[in-house]
Amino acid sequence: MSPLILFLSFLTPITALEFRYHDNSEIKDYLTQISTSNPNITYLYSIGQSVTGQELWVLALGLSPRRHTVGIPEFKYVANMHGNEVLGRVLLLQLIDDLVRGYRNNEKWALYLLNSTRIHILPTMNPDGFDSSDTDCLFSQGRFNHNGIDLNRNFPDAFAGLRRRQQLDEEKREPEVKAVIDWLRTESFVLSANLHGGAVVASYPYDNSNGGSELVNGASVSPDDDVFIHLAKIYSYKHASMHQGERCRDSRPFLDGITNGYQWYPLEGGMQDYNYVWAQCLELTLEVSCCKYPPVKELPALWTDNREALLAFIQQVHLGVKGRVFDSSGVPVHNAVVEVRGRNNMCPFRTNQHGEYYRLLLPGNYSFTVTYPGHEVLTETLTVPYGPDYYSALKHDFQLRQLAMTTGRTLPTSPSPTCNYTRIVEAGGDVNRLAWTELTAGLGLVMVLRSLSD
Ligand SMILES: *[C@@H]1O[C@H](CO)[C@@H](O)[C@H](O)[C@H]1NC(C)=O
Ligand SMILES: *[C@@H]1O[C@H](CO)[C@@H](O)[C@H](O)[C@H]1NC(C)=O
Ligand SMILES: *[C@@H]1O[C@H](CO)[C@@H](O)[C@H](O)[C@H]1NC(C)=O
Ligand SMILES: *[C@@H]1O[C@H](CO)[C@@H](O)[C@H](O)[C@H]1NC(C)=O
Ligand SMILES: [Zn+2]
């Protein structure tokens, strides 16, 4: 081999990825090439198939890309769930390229990030929709999946009311949505964002409400509102212009470039509420371009606008506290409930199968309560620093003590109820929900227009 060819073959895998719209099979080829040439830090897997049978490919990056490591939080980015909102596909491929090159070039930011975090990237959640989309900036051709369903309206919704929820459960869930739901069961994701187009704003839960106590001044406020606002501002302020409240056509300006999802417009069956309520994964909806299908020549600048924000947002997975819960004999326990005073999550946060919990919190003092059958309720106050600066949340394990009175008896192995809908329904209930439905019926046309805008 001549020195020149040797030089070129060494150079090839680390030259920058071309700025253009790769089609679904090109994305697959690119991910395959990356994963075979970087097996130590990447791993390619599929979470399922689209309606027409296209694989939903995910690239995992990290020092242990194939499996979870205790203490290393799981993070994910999802793009293109609306098939015609395509910038996210480009951004996530560029992000992969950037992370891998950064690592190979021994750049500190990439080493720290991949050493501390496992990052999962799904460049397209709706490959069928992409195939049928046109390149229009505004229209919604290609938004839906092959069955004509809006994937961001097809998730279970805690606010839908008991009757509606049962209806939704019985309905057929789209395969792309089912794949994501199963994915959330396999990995205990801590933080996530899903990328859209048609606006420039970072939107955070809740997207829905039933008119209960969560509804405050037109926003549907979650128990972790402070954390969500912080996360959304991280993205909007690290973005070149989002924080300036950029307006796309007729949209209203967004203060700081962020918005509560419901306050922007209510939607039922969205992915971010599902992630947060059911999978204890805090998720944002990032609207990254006014034009849903930006011209190719604008892609390099759009990447530059988003690059730092995408990286900084991943680093936020290190907010708060993480650790394990051990039973009286020193064994880490699954499904222990780990709650923070003042944060009544509908589905209380629970430890995963390794006995781990991850709790994103801003710096401050927090009172934790840990509950597990057969053991005393444990309460501890923790002082939480700003973890992202150190690429690690505060590490704290909880050591449970067996209940004296039940020693020797047969004990249940896990607490029974998973989610407590009473926490939202009690304050709102069906009466308010009725009023809300009537109100929104009057706004029907506005809602339909809005609902296709992101
Ligand atoms: C991958 O990791 C192994 C074990 O740590 C190491 O020996 C090998 O050099 C690494 N390969 C690359 C391409 O970095
Ligand atoms: C990677 O993380 C471990 C601890 O998890 C630490 O000891 C090591 O120094 C880190 N390496 C780099 C390059 O950050
Ligand atoms: C948290 O607790 C520590 C120790 O008790 C105290 O010094 C500190 O002022 C508290 N911080 C806040 C924000 O309350
Ligand atoms: C559910 O939440 C309500 C309101 O916070 C509370 O009164 C009730 O005890 C909870 N139920 C369970 C089973 O935790
Ligand atoms: Zn969208």
Side-chain angles (χ1 to χ4, degrees):
M1 219 188 261
S2 81
L4 178 64
I5 290 174
L6 195 68
F7 174 72
L8 285 177
S9 66
F10 173 73
L11 199 69
T12 308
I14 48 169
T15 47
L17 178 68
E18 205 183 331
F19 280 103
R20 62 182 178 86
Y21 292 107
H22 294 79
D23 67 25
N24 295 327
S25 69
E26 288 173 324
I27 287 185
K28 199 242 155 158
D29 292 344
Y30 172 70
L31 297 180
T32 305
Q33 181 237 308
I34 284 284
S35 62
T36 46
S37 49
N38 302 276
N40 280 12
I41 50 159
T42 64
Y43 171 59
L44 183 61
Y45 66 98
S46 164
I47 56 165
Q49 283 114 37
S50 69
V51 174
T52 70
Q54 303 199 64
E55 298 290 341
L56 303 173
W57 294 109
V58 174
L59 191 79
L61 301 102
L63 288 199
S64 171
R66 280 166 192 76
R67 64 191 61 85
H68 176 70
T69 306
V70 170
I72 302 291
E74 306 285 342
F75 175 95
K76 69 181 161 69
Y77 272 134
V78 174
N80 197 217
M81 91 186 285
H82 290 142
N84 63 327
E85 297 168 15
V86 295
L87 178 61
R89 290 166 63 110
V90 173
L91 296 181
L92 294 190
L93 291 189
Q94 290 295 332
L95 180 67
I96 289 169
D97 187 69
D98 203 26
L99 282 166
V100 169
R101 249 171 332 116
Y103 183 83
R104 292 174 64 130
N105 294 337
N106 276 317
E107 285 167 43
K108 265 212 170 105
W109 63 269
L111 296 179
Y112 286 157
L113 211 47
L114 293 177
N115 190 23
S116 59
T117 320
R118 186 155 167 247
I119 303 163
H120 304 251
I121 294 181
L122 173 60
T124 173
M125 183 180 158
N126 185 2
D128 297 347
F130 176 81
D131 282 340
S132 71
S133 64
D134 60 26
T135 58
D136 195 273
C137 271
L138 306 176
F139 294 147
S140 54
Q141 174 62 39
R143 175 186 179 90
F144 308 112
N145 77 345
H146 192 72
N147 290 334
I149 302 296
D150 188 330
L151 299 178
N152 207 22
R153 305 290 185 278
N154 194 241
F155 280 82
D157 192 314
F159 293 102
L162 188 58
R163 232 174 316 134
R164 176 84 179 116
R165 217 159 53 229
Q166 284 163 346
Q167 259 174 21
L168 285 170
D169 286 344
E170 288 156 15
E171 283 165 18
K172 186 177 148 282
R173 248 172 242 301
E174 295 306 307
E176 296 88 353
V177 168
K178 204 180 160 302
V180 168
I181 291 174
D182 290 344
W183 191 24
L184 286 164
R185 291 197 186 109
T186 347
E187 301 290 350
S188 15
F189 288 109
V190 178
L191 179 64
S192 171
N194 102 76
L195 278 64
H196 290 251
V200 177
V201 67
S203 166
Y204 55 90
Y206 297 121
D207 267 335
N208 202 2
S209 162
N210 65 4
S213 58
E214 76 286 351
L215 194 54
V216 181
N217 299 326
S220 184
V221 179
S222 80
D224 296 297
D225 198 50
D226 55 343
V227 181
F228 276 122
I229 288 172
H230 166 81
L231 291 168
K233 281 188 181 171
I234 287 284
Y235 200 91
S236 71
Y237 277 87
K238 294 284 180 182
H239 184 279
S241 59
M242 187 182 281
H243 58 279
Q244 291 160 2
E246 196 175 324
R247 305 176 64 154
C248 299
R249 304 174 308 279
D250 56 345
S251 85
R252 75 169 97 126
F254 296 104
L255 184 63
D256 293 320
I258 69 170
T259 185
N260 172 269
Y262 182 91
Q263 195 155 37
W264 186 15
Y265 63 92
L267 69 90
E268 188 175 278
M271 186 159 72
Q272 74 176 3
D273 282 6
Y274 181 82
N275 268 263
Y276 173 57
V277 171
W278 263 285
Q280 57 194 48
C281 172
L282 277 66
E283 180 167 288
L284 298 193
T285 300
L286 301 173
E287 303 280 351
V288 288
S289 58
C290 290
C291 178
K292 294 179 182 183
Y293 214 126
V296 170
K297 65 175 189 324
E298 291 176 13
L299 295 179
L302 287 165
W303 161 245
T304 306
D305 288 353
N306 283 279
R307 178 180 179 267
E308 267 189 61
L310 287 165
L311 291 170
F313 184 72
I314 300 175
Q315 211 172 326
Q316 293 299 313
V317 77
H318 299 294
L319 278 175
V321 194
K322 65 182 178 186
R324 284 198 285 179
V325 176
F326 295 95
D327 72 6
S328 52
S329 48
V331 175
V333 289
H334 188 197
N335 273 331
V337 171
V338 179
E339 290 180 289
V340 179
R341 185 184 295 158
R343 287 162 201 264
N344 294 327
N345 298 91
M346 271 184 261
C347 303
F349 282 38
R350 282 155 190 275
T351 53
N352 64 19
Q353 64 269 38
H354 308 286
E356 293 172 281
Y357 73 95
Y358 293 84
R359 200 68 170 86
L360 302 188
L361 295 165
L362 301 182
N365 295 334
Y366 297 90
S367 170
F368 279 73
T369 302
V370 184
T371 321
Y372 190 67
H375 291 75
E376 290 175 11
V377 174
L378 179 64
T379 301
E380 286 183 39
T381 298
L382 301 178
T383 299
V384 176
Y386 188 64
D389 285 348
Y390 315 100
Y391 293 87
S392 176
L394 173 71
K395 289 180 201 153
H396 184 84
D397 293 338
F398 292 104
Q399 182 62 62
L400 298 170
R401 287 168 46 161
Q402 200 162 6
L403 264 180
M405 52 181 272
T406 59
T407 309
R409 279 197 229 152
T410 316
L411 302 168
T413 50
S414 71
S416 38
T418 30
C419 302
N420 184 352
Y421 302 109
T422 323
R423 281 176 169 171
I424 49 164
V425 173
E426 64 176 4
D430 285 334
V431 179
N432 281 342
R433 166 145 187 89
L434 235 154
W436 180 80
T437 309
E438 280 164 7
L439 176 71
T440 52
L443 301 169
L445 181 62
V446 180
M447 299 235 336
V448 168
L449 291 175
R450 287 248 54 118
S451 71
L452 296 177
S453 73
D454 74 300

